[in-house]
Amino acid sequence: MIASLPAFRNGIYNGHDLWFHMGRIEAIATELSNGQFPVRFETTGWYGNGYISTTMYGNIFLYVPALLNMAGLATYRCYNIYVILTNIIGVAIAAYSFKGIFKDRRWALLATSTYMLAGYYISNVYMRAAVGEYTAMIFIPLLVYGIYHILFDDNHEGLIRTTLPLVIGTTGIIESHILTTVMVALGVFVFLIIYLKTTIGHIKELLFALVMIVCLNAFFLVPFLDSYTSYDFNASVGTAGENIQKFGLYLDQVFGLFPEGSGSMYEWTSAGEEYTRLGVVHVVAFALMILTIILKKKLALVGISFKRILSIFVIGLIAAWLSSAYFPWGIFSGDNAVSNIMRSVQYPSRYLVIQTICWTLCGTYALRAIVEAIKPDKQVITYGLAIICIGMLALAQTGWFMYTLSCRNYTIQTIEGRDNFADGLYLQVGTDTSDLATEATLLEGDDCTVQDLGYSKGVRQILIDNESTEPATVLVPIFNFKYIRAFDSAGTEYQLESTDGNQYQVQVPAGFNDALSVKSVAPFVWRFSEGVTLITLLAIIFVPALKRGRKGV
């Protein structure tokens, strides 16, 4: 409820990416109304030139606000409902995951409160309006528990049930934000390398989980990889030579106490970026972990669990370095696969997400170790006092953020998003959007008239009457993404060719007098991937149930 308070208002605070995501919600609603499922291509993007954010960004969870939008609810209300639902589901996931890790409801409650009121999470929700990132964040605890359950728990009941937390957690991240997926994958990789012997001992479960994750997300991964490897996008090659170190955080942000609800992203400074402060709760968690390391002998922390949490602490430190302006990001400014992947995070501050989960685990572990070192008859009182203190710090941190948000931000009550909602990350390098044609026009030919009828049910209709004895070339104002096809009324396909501006053009023969229907047509391999996802989902649901039924017999 505390994290959701601003979403109960009759309006919405303006966030960095708010208009983009409101536009995504409306675009998904439009394409679902057009009969496109799953949504792969937004006809409304870039003033009718189309966009593929639904292919390049996981969007399955945005179907919820999109369906509400289709039912007639104002877009900003749909968004607020999405925020509330995300927070509720996030609390449930965190409580379940942390209970599985700490084997104690009391410490799970502390970890859940710490995580869901984290400065970076609240900033993502209300200041950055980073829908993909804050949605992905609610699944990270489940992924962490999934790794823990496979490697360190003994009560395994079949491959599917054993790997299910990891499969669902990873799927939630993939379907929310691919960049968070990359960062989390790096953290998991480091952890598995540290525990290489244990990893090898459970390689069967891990490989099975990997196969399940790939199959369950095939409907998204196949179109994404097909598109990503087919173009030189601004998001990757277009940033070659750029050193994102200039967007790195400074110590007053990495260990900043009270994030604020204002500011933007600036180069080589922390001024005006107060919303990226880590937050006092996680700074205290970091300090508690340092104290625990110093007092490890007095606290008798020499077991396997201490080594595990120490590994997580090291990963958190690496993430803190990566998020900062002190990491030499210039080494990844080249045009190669590794550099493109590393640089794709765009802003180093995104590694705060790794710090947040690591410090949550470390702080909870450290406080538990300190409390359990006290005499048993005083542990309950000590725990209660610790909960009160951490709770007050969390409330103060969140309260200050929301106070500054309300004072320095403005409220939006508009019903609709913006026509130019699409970003330019997944446009091809060299695409000029400053002088963008939005209607079909004649490029070459005489005695030919062109009338752009616009879109109808996701199909762009262009009426062409070529009275000339020579072929005519017509501009089709749709970006040259793959699988855009043109047909006449008889179903004959016409070849589309790319223009210098990365739009399409089509040549029609002399005497052509018909309407061309231009639309996005998903290839067979995309449809096949959807089938793989469906079969995998059914297997996850029914196979364990069938096995339990056989045991009952």
Side-chain angles (χ1 to χ4, degrees):
M1 288 295 293
I2 295 173
S4 300
L5 283 176
F8 284 100
R9 300 167 64 251
N10 184 30
I12 184 172
Y13 286 115
N14 185 39
H16 296 174
D17 297 337
L18 178 65
W19 290 107
F20 173 57
H21 294 301
M22 287 179 68
R24 288 178 67 196
I25 292 170
E26 292 179 353
I28 292 170
T30 297
E31 302 311 327
L32 288 175
S33 299
N34 290 336
Q36 185 185 164
F37 181 81
V39 178
R40 306 291 193 190
F41 180 76
E42 305 104 280
T43 57
T44 57
W46 286 106
Y47 306 101
N49 277 266
Y51 199 50
I52 56 171
S53 68
T54 46
T55 298
M56 306 310 295
Y57 299 96
N59 69 346
I60 194 69
F61 300 117
L62 289 183
Y63 280 49
V64 174
L67 290 172
L68 293 173
N69 188 248
M70 290 172 65
L73 211 59
T75 309
Y76 79 89
R77 293 190 187 278
C78 299
Y79 182 87
N80 278 341
I81 291 172
Y82 181 81
V83 168
I84 295 169
L85 290 175
T86 300
N87 289 337
I88 292 173
I89 295 170
V91 167
I93 291 175
Y96 169 80
S97 304
F98 291 131
K99 182 179 180 296
I101 294 171
F102 293 105
K103 312 301 181 187
D104 189 308
R105 291 182 179 178
R106 297 175 304 164
W107 298 108
L109 173 63
L110 176 65
T112 299
S113 302
T114 302
Y115 187 76
M116 291 304 296
L117 291 177
Y120 189 61
Y121 178 75
I122 298 298
S123 291
N124 273 340
V125 175
Y126 297 111
M127 190 62 224
R128 297 185 61 228
V131 170
E133 287 183 64
Y134 70 70
T135 304
M137 282 189 75
I138 72 171
F139 290 99
I140 293 177
L142 189 57
L143 177 146
V144 173
Y145 169 59
I147 295 290
Y148 176 90
H149 182 58
I150 291 174
L151 297 184
F152 307 114
D153 272 345
D154 297 325
N155 54 335
H156 293 173
E157 298 182 18
L159 279 174
I160 291 181
R161 294 188 66 181
T162 299
T163 58
L164 198 56
L166 177 58
V167 171
I168 295 176
T170 306
T171 293
I173 298 170
I174 291 172
E175 297 300 331
S176 300
H177 197 237
I178 203 70
L179 297 184
T180 301
T181 305
V182 172
M183 293 185 290
V184 171
L186 290 174
V188 170
F189 177 76
V190 172
F191 187 82
L192 293 180
I193 291 298
I194 293 173
Y195 284 89
L196 185 59
K197 185 177 179 180
T198 307
T199 299
I200 294 174
H202 293 85
I203 196 67
K204 177 182 176 181
E205 293 92 338
L206 292 170
L207 288 177
F208 181 81
L210 178 61
V211 171
M212 292 292 285
I213 290 166
V214 171
C215 291
L216 188 58
N217 294 278
F219 82 102
F220 167 70
L221 292 176
V222 170
F224 169 80
L225 292 173
D226 182 23
S227 300
Y228 191 83
T229 56
S230 298
Y231 309 105
D232 290 335
F233 284 127
N234 290 327
S236 53
V237 180
T239 59
E242 183 178 359
N243 184 357
I244 64 174
Q245 185 177 351
K246 60 189 176 184
F247 296 117
L249 304 180
Y250 291 86
L251 287 178
D252 62 336
Q253 295 166 290
V254 176
F255 294 103
L257 299 182
F258 291 96
E260 298 179 358
S262 63
S264 186
M265 185 66 69
Y266 301 100
E267 299 179 7
W268 301 113
T269 183
S270 62
E273 295 184 346
E274 290 79 10
Y275 66 93
T276 56
R277 291 171 180 166
L278 180 64
V280 63
V281 174
H282 284 82
V283 172
V284 169
F286 174 83
L288 286 172
M289 188 61 199
I290 293 292
L291 180 63
T292 302
I293 294 172
I294 295 172
L295 301 176
K296 68 175 182 177
K297 290 185 178 179
K298 187 173 291 188
L299 297 173
L301 300 176
V302 293
I304 298 174
S305 62
F306 180 70
K307 293 179 180 179
R308 286 199 293 259
I309 205 67
L310 202 58
S311 300
I312 293 172
F313 183 68
V314 171
I315 292 172
L317 287 176
I318 294 172
W321 186 32
L322 287 167
S323 72
S324 73
Y326 312 111
F327 182 81
W329 278 101
I331 62 178
F332 297 118
S333 60
D335 185 9
N336 55 73
V338 174
S339 294
N340 289 339
I341 291 173
M342 293 298 295
R343 196 176 58 249
S344 67
V345 298
Q346 301 168 337
Y347 305 112
S349 58
R350 283 185 162 135
Y351 277 96
L352 282 172
V353 70
I354 307 299
Q355 285 177 254
T356 298
I357 185 64
C358 288
W359 293 169
T360 297
L361 293 168
C362 290
T364 305
Y365 175 91
L367 189 58
R368 180 178 183 174
I370 293 170
V371 169
E372 291 181 348
I374 298 173
K375 294 181 179 180
D377 59 333
K378 296 182 180 180
Q379 286 185 9
V380 174
I381 295 176
T382 306
Y383 171 81
L385 290 174
I387 286 291
I388 291 172
C389 291
I390 297 297
M392 291 179 66
L393 286 176
L395 287 175
Q397 173 184 297
T398 306
W400 177 250
F401 176 86
M402 292 183 178
Y403 170 74
T404 54
L405 181 71
S406 63
C407 291
R408 302 173 188 173
N409 211 315
Y410 63 90
T411 299
I412 298 169
Q413 289 181 305
T414 182
I415 293 177
E416 299 177 345
R418 293 175 175 171
D419 292 336
N420 60 335
F421 75 91
D423 60 18
L425 293 177
Y426 291 104
L427 293 179
Q428 293 191 60
V429 173
T431 301
D432 183 9
T433 58
S434 62
D435 187 23
L436 194 62
T438 58
E439 289 192 2
T441 56
L442 181 65
L443 293 179
E444 294 181 6
D446 299 313
D447 296 326
C448 181
T449 58
V450 177
Q451 184 180 3
D452 195 330
L453 303 178
Y455 285 99
S456 175
K457 294 297 180 182
V459 180
R460 188 154 199 160
Q461 301 284 345
I462 302 175
L463 189 61
I464 303 173
D465 182 9
N466 183 18
E467 297 180 352
S468 172
T469 58
E470 299 292 332
T473 302
V474 175
L475 173 70
V476 178
I478 296 178
F479 285 132
N480 59 340
F481 296 118
K482 291 176 71 174
Y483 310 122
I484 304 296
R485 301 170 68 179
F487 304 89
D488 63 17
S489 58
T492 302
E493 184 171 2
Y494 286 76
Q495 185 67 38
L496 292 171
E497 297 179 353
S498 180
T499 67
D500 293 338
N502 290 329
Q503 291 176 304
Y504 274 122
Q505 63 183 21
V506 62
Q507 187 179 79
V508 296
F512 182 90
N513 184 12
D514 200 352
L516 276 184
S517 298
V518 187
K519 59 184 178 180
S520 174
V521 180
F524 170 78
V525 67
W526 290 17
R527 293 301 186 188
F528 181 79
S529 69
E530 294 163 14
V532 171
T533 293
L534 179 60
I535 292 171
T536 306
L537 181 61
L538 293 175
I540 290 174
I541 295 172
F542 291 110
V543 169
L546 290 173
K547 287 185 177 181
R548 287 196 300 269
R550 288 176 182 175
K551 288 181 180 180
V553 174

